[in-house]
């Protein structure tokens, strides 16, 4: 392992190694590549990392262990590691995870997206519980308002989808909003993320037994419905739906279609009243699934750190060329490169990236 570490530092170069940055591989405890890959991706989503480390700094003295406290300890151990490149054993975090959710308390392969979804929602719950800790049982309007206020998890990951339905009889348009922490995207063969997101907002006709109850007409009418993005999040997490249930086999199989994900992304399926509709995103991390099915195989992650890309495979870290990202698009026309496919994509808004970069420059004294 020592050779691998020294090799990475040689690849990066002493003059190019970012000040105050640490790269730590994570030990695999039998089946924990699903969490290791997601944790590495989240660590390199800098707004998330900064909030977790801030939480650690504010909660040095605590009486209760939570999943968030274990995560903050893990991130702190990475960020303050004496070595530039090393390995860390996330033993306490995994033990807490298995204690909090029974489905993860085994040695079977787990789904990285299910873990991400649980982790983000659980962190949000912990913040809300701690926000109201010690308050009297009799809740007041102020207490309710406090608990309803957005957390930093909302500030980073939450977007808003709006469902627009137009009655084809009276032309009235009604809309309904719903929050999301990630977008789950259907994929087609030989396509791109941009195309998939456009399809996400394709117009659907509601007719026959699926007519729309129009309040203005006071009856069921044919209508057109579409989903659009009303609020664009700071970190846009895209889950590619690569596991499809096949009734013939009575199990889920992997969809290895080639899906191109660009380094820069702009959403074109925004609503007319969207905030920051022209927001541009940069790709910062990808969780990659390697293998033929959801309950077998392996997870790795590729992340962007400053101006280069790294591949994290549990405790192994390699510097990769930017062109290598294409290897994770999926099945090519000649049938190659089908096993390693992008599964969860993390895009960070460019305006946020600028703020983080300025903060890094100040921290590094440049």
């Amino acid at each position: 392992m020592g050779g691998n570490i020294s090799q990475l530092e040689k690849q990066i170069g002493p003059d190019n190694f970012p000040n105050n940055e640490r790269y730590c591989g994570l030990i695999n405890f039998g089946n924990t590549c699903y969490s290791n890959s997601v944790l590495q991706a989240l660590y390199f989503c800098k707004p998330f990392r900064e909030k977790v480390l801030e939480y650690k700094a504010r909660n040095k003295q605590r009486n209760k262990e939570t999943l968030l406290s274990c995560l903050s300890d893990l991130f702190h151990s990475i960020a303050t590691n004496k070595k530039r490149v090393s390995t860390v054993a996330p033993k306490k975090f995994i033990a807490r995870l298995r204690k909090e959710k029974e489905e993860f308390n085994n040695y079977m392969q787990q789904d990285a997206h299910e873990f991400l979804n649980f982790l983000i929602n659980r962190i949000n719950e912990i913040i809300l519980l701690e926000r109201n800790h010690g308050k009297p049982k009799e809740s007041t309007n102020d207490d309710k308002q406090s608990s309803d206020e957005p957390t930093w998890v909302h500030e980073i990951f939450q977007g808003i989808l709006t469902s627009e339905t137009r009655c084809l009889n009276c032309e009235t348009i009604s809309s309904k909003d719903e929050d999301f922490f990630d977008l789950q995207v259907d994929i087609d063969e030989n396509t791109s993320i941009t195309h998939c997101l456009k399809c996400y907002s394709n117009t659907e006709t509601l007719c026959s037994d699926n007519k729309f109850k129009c309040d203005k007409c006071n009856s069921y009418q044919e209508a057109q419905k579409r989903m659009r993005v009303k609020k664009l999040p700071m970190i846009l997490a895209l889950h590619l739906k690569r596991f499809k249930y096949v009734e013939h086999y009575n199990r889920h199989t992997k969809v290895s279609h080639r899906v191109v994900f660009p380094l820069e992304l702009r959403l074109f399926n925004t609503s007319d009243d969207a905030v920051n509709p022209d927001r541009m995103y940069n790709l910062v991390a990808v969780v990659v699934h390697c293998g033929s099915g959801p309950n077998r195989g392996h997870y790795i992650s590729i992340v962007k750190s400053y101006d280069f890309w790294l591949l994290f495979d549990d405790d192994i870290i390699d510097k990769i060329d930017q062109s290598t990202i294409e290897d994770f698009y999926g099945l090519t026309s000649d049938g190659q490169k089908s096993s390693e496919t992008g599964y969860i994509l993390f895009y960070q808004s460019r305006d946020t990236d600028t703020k983080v970069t300025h903060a890094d420059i100040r921290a590094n004294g440049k």
Side-chain angles (χ1 to χ4, degrees):
M1 197 63 207
N4 182 67
I5 291 174
S6 60
Q7 181 63 30
L8 177 63
E9 293 191 74
K10 286 178 183 177
Q11 287 175 336
I12 296 174
D15 295 334
N16 297 323
F17 207 101
N19 291 337
N20 301 324
E21 187 64 281
R22 297 293 181 265
Y23 302 121
C24 294
L26 299 177
I27 301 292
N28 188 325
F29 295 105
N31 72 323
T32 55
C33 62
Y34 70 91
S35 60
N36 286 350
S37 56
V38 170
L39 292 174
Q40 294 287 12
L42 289 173
Y43 186 80
F44 287 93
C45 291
K46 286 196 174 181
F48 181 78
R49 182 206 301 192
E50 290 174 352
K51 288 297 184 181
V52 172
L53 292 176
E54 283 176 19
Y55 177 87
K56 167 70 177 177
R58 288 198 312 268
N59 295 273
K60 291 181 179 179
Q61 301 294 328
R62 58 173 180 266
N63 299 320
K64 186 178 180 182
E65 180 183 277
T66 66
L67 197 62
L68 177 53
S69 71
C70 292
L71 180 67
S72 67
D73 288 344
L74 175 60
F75 275 22
H76 179 76
S77 68
I78 296 173
T80 60
N81 203 292
K82 291 181 180 179
K83 294 183 179 180
R84 286 178 164 183
V85 182
S86 62
T87 59
V88 171
K91 189 174 183 179
K92 188 167 69 169
F93 176 84
I94 294 298
R96 186 70 211 180
L97 173 67
R98 289 173 172 170
K99 186 180 292 186
E100 292 209 9
K101 190 168 178 64
E102 185 179 352
E103 287 84 347
F104 295 126
N105 190 19
N106 55 61
Y107 289 92
M108 296 172 59
Q109 178 61 279
Q110 305 293 331
D111 185 87
H113 178 254
E114 288 182 8
F115 166 69
L116 172 66
N117 190 45
F118 172 74
L119 179 63
I120 295 298
N121 282 282
R122 185 70 187 119
I123 290 174
N124 194 55
E125 290 172 7
I126 292 168
I127 296 170
L128 290 173
L129 286 170
E130 293 182 349
R131 179 182 288 176
N132 295 317
H133 177 69
K135 292 188 176 181
K137 291 184 178 179
E138 298 82 8
S139 62
T140 65
N141 288 334
D142 290 339
D143 290 334
K144 186 176 187 306
Q145 184 178 1
S146 174
S147 62
D148 286 345
E149 288 175 1
T151 68
W152 52 261
V153 174
H154 291 111
E155 292 170 5
I156 294 172
F157 289 104
Q158 189 189 67
I160 298 176
L161 285 172
T162 185
S163 173
E164 300 175 344
T165 307
R166 180 169 64 92
C167 174
L168 295 181
N169 184 53
C170 68
E171 298 293 325
T172 299
I173 297 176
S174 59
S175 61
K176 182 180 179 181
D177 293 347
E178 62 180 83
D179 300 333
F180 68 87
F181 281 149
D182 63 60
L183 286 180
Q184 300 190 42
V185 183
D186 289 309
I187 58 175
D188 295 319
E189 195 168 357
N190 290 324
T191 186
S192 68
I193 279 296
T194 304
H195 174 76
C196 292
L197 289 170
K198 285 181 179 178
C199 292
Y200 194 91
S201 295
N202 280 350
T203 300
E204 174 190 4
T205 301
L206 306 178
C207 57
S208 301
D209 295 335
N210 197 29
K211 287 183 178 179
F212 169 69
K213 178 67 180 295
C214 178
D215 291 336
K216 187 169 183 179
C217 297
N218 198 28
S219 60
Y220 285 94
Q221 298 290 339
E222 290 189 354
Q224 289 183 332
K225 179 182 178 181
R226 65 176 175 175
M227 299 286 289
R228 294 205 289 176
V229 181
K230 186 174 182 178
K231 180 195 172 191
L232 288 72
M234 183 185 299
I235 298 289
L236 175 65
L238 300 176
H239 167 222
L240 278 63
K241 296 166 72 172
R242 287 202 173 273
F243 301 120
K244 178 182 179 182
Y245 181 75
V246 179
E247 193 170 346
H248 176 71
Y249 297 112
N250 193 29
R251 61 181 172 86
H252 284 82
T253 60
K254 183 174 179 180
V255 180
S256 296
H257 295 330
R258 186 174 189 268
V259 180
V260 175
F261 42 89
L263 299 177
E264 299 177 343
L265 180 70
R266 179 184 169 189
L267 298 185
F268 293 98
N269 56 336
T270 53
S271 62
D272 295 336
D273 57 347
V275 180
N276 296 329
D278 298 324
R279 197 169 219 178
M280 288 291 296
Y281 289 92
N282 292 329
L283 184 68
V284 293
V286 182
V287 173
V288 175
H289 180 268
C290 314
S292 59
N295 299 316
R296 58 183 64 85
H298 184 56
Y299 288 102
I300 61 176
S301 55
I302 56 174
V303 304
K304 186 174 187 183
S305 179
Y306 295 84
D307 60 347
F308 54 87
W309 286 86
L310 298 173
L311 186 150
F312 287 85
D313 184 350
D314 289 326
D315 57 340
I316 301 172
I317 316 170
D318 287 308
K319 184 174 181 288
I320 60 173
D321 292 333
Q322 183 173 290
S323 60
T324 306
I325 296 173
E326 297 177 12
D327 293 347
F328 306 110
Y329 288 165
L331 185 66
T332 56
S333 56
D334 57 4
Q336 299 299 310
K337 302 176 184 175
S338 61
S339 173
E340 301 177 342
T341 51
Y343 185 46
I344 310 171
L345 314 177
F346 294 87
Y347 283 91
Q348 182 173 308
S349 61
R350 190 172 289 175
D351 49 333
T352 307
D353 190 48
T354 302
K355 294 174 186 175
V356 172
T357 302
H358 289 163
D360 290 337
I361 291 173
R362 289 195 297 273
N364 294 337
K366 292 181 179 178

